[in-house]
Amino acid sequence: MKRALLRGSAKRSSRLLALLIGVLALAAYPVLSDNLYVQNMLILTFILAIGASGWNIMGGYAGYISLGSSLFTGLGAYTAGILVADFGVPPFIGCLVGGVTAGVAAALLSLVTRRTRGMYFVIVTFAALQLFGLIARNWKSVTGGSSGLAMPLPMWNIAYQDWPFYYSLLVVLLAAIAVSVLIRRSKLGTGLFAIKDDEDKASGIGINAAAYKMIAFVLGSIFIGVAGGIYAYYISFITPAGMFDIVASVLMVLAALLGGRGTIWGPVLGAFIIEPLSELTTTSFGGPNAGSFRLLFFAGILVLVVLFLPKGLIPSISEALHNTARMGALRIARGSSSSGASARTQVAGERGASAMAGDALKVSGLTKSFGGVKAVNDVSLRVGAGSVTGLIGPNGSGKTTLFNLIDGTVTPKAGTVALAGTSIERASRARRAHAGLARTYQLPRLFDSLSVIENVVAPERRFSLTRLFLPRMSGDERDQALDVLAQFGLAGFADISPSDLSYGQRKLVELAQILSLDPVLVMLDEPAAGISPALTERLTAIIRNLNGQGIAILLVEHDLAFIAELCDNVFVMADGEVVAEGTVAELTGNAVVVDAYLGEPAALGIGKVKS
Ligand code: ADP
Ligand code: MG
């Protein structure tokens, strides 16, 4: 253990040393050499690296691919250009204001794209770029239109050449990298990775996805805007075609993908490879169609990278290096996890006894159809505070859809939902989670980009801006989560990816995860289906224990023996309606219930029930 820690810190300091040498070499270059060609190439590389790093916060961390990010370059450039050329504002301030303009534009674009995902986000950002380009071309009185805007010449001594551009861009790049690191290590980063993996699930554990995405987009865009401002002053003459340039957008995406999106250094490495290539194409593709050739060339490389190097260089290389080490760690984890199978779960119960009186959940008249199928039809049911209530019914009877209506994944056509006496049917999914509603899924949904323990810490009990910038996991949070994992018999798996777990273990981790919401009500969708008898036993003990702490539970399960052992009261659904309610003993004799299961006592599991 100690040796591993030592090795870790040695690795960290050698990485820091490499970084220091790299930065010093870049900082020394203009002083040591007056090769302006290389200096120019490095300046353009810095600009691309800033663009790719800025893009990466939204595109790599949150998984939202923007094809319009050069719109922030353009906005930064024109803001700085107009301020400097027309109003005599100092360039330094002009560039910073350019960053602010880009940030504001990103916030607005976030609002517009709040509900768009995947391909639609790509298209909207692309369209936004075109729109801003169009405005810049036509708003001639301010931008100079297609004939461009000239900036005043630099006022410093010619002996300093391009140093001010070079060093200010190097500083902006280092700042962009530092912010990327900070975000990655903060709760904001956890949330963004969760959003990338499974945005719906993230909302269900209280993560305010819209706010996270807006902050990510704004932070990334500010850097692109500042760099755009410096770029404008550097080339001293800007045109809409050159600034709001789709090729520049593609290059940012390409650099990030090639180097490894979602990593810190991937976008930077990618930029250092792509920019020299780009330089080559500008010198070798001439003529009126040069722009189209370049677009085709880079689009082609983009396709090749997506097909043959989907993770990018840095992840692929580090995977190859670490594969053997990781297998070893996994073997150790497997070995140690068999101990500690007791299930005395202690969840920090801040909500206290306030939720104890009345109903934990009260559903009235919930209705939802999919096309012609009435999946849930006028369903009313209640889960008493502190009770374990069962919900059974044949496949397709509407149980999962009912869960989806209760937690807001699906919007009902009619009906009301109250959690501990407060009506929540109009609340967002994150709000419902904050109110203490927690659920698991029939097929467990975990964030594979996060470790098991990070998954457990990920849920958010309330939204607060300052919290987003706290470290990803405090010592206390880690201890608490380790405690819960230990009680579930999963402590040995804390630091591996959930994708390395068995199906049953994933189900348990999901349960451990939602307990971090400090729930009033836990809805479990077939928790025992497809897991081993040993895990089922552990699960029974866990559910009993949660219930003992006053958490109400709504349990969907096919295994009637399991239901009979845990539930005080059971609802039966068939064809989207509640057809019966009672104890298991009462229900097994009920003709309607037996009929609902197509008259197959075996399907009901009746044979297994002893009472
Ligand atoms: P259960 O969980 O009880 O097996 P479900 O709630 O999954 O049942 O499904 C109830 C009915 O609603 C089924 O006929 C199913 O095909 C339909 N259904 C559920 N979700 C959707 C959806 N998103 N789109 C269309 N039909 C759906
Ligand atoms: Mg279901």
Side-chain angles (χ1 to χ4, degrees), residues 13 25 50 208 232 306 316 322 428 451 515 552 604:
S13 37
I50 294 165
N208 183 343
V306 169
S316 303
H322 291 300
S428 70
S451 69
L515 293 183
L604 245 176

Side-chain angles (χ1 to χ4, degrees), residues 370 373 375 393-402 442 525-526:
F370 293 107
V373 183
N395 282 327
S397 57
K399 306 177 299 291
T400 298
T401 304
L402 181 62
Q442 202 168 330
D525 200 348
E526 304 197 13

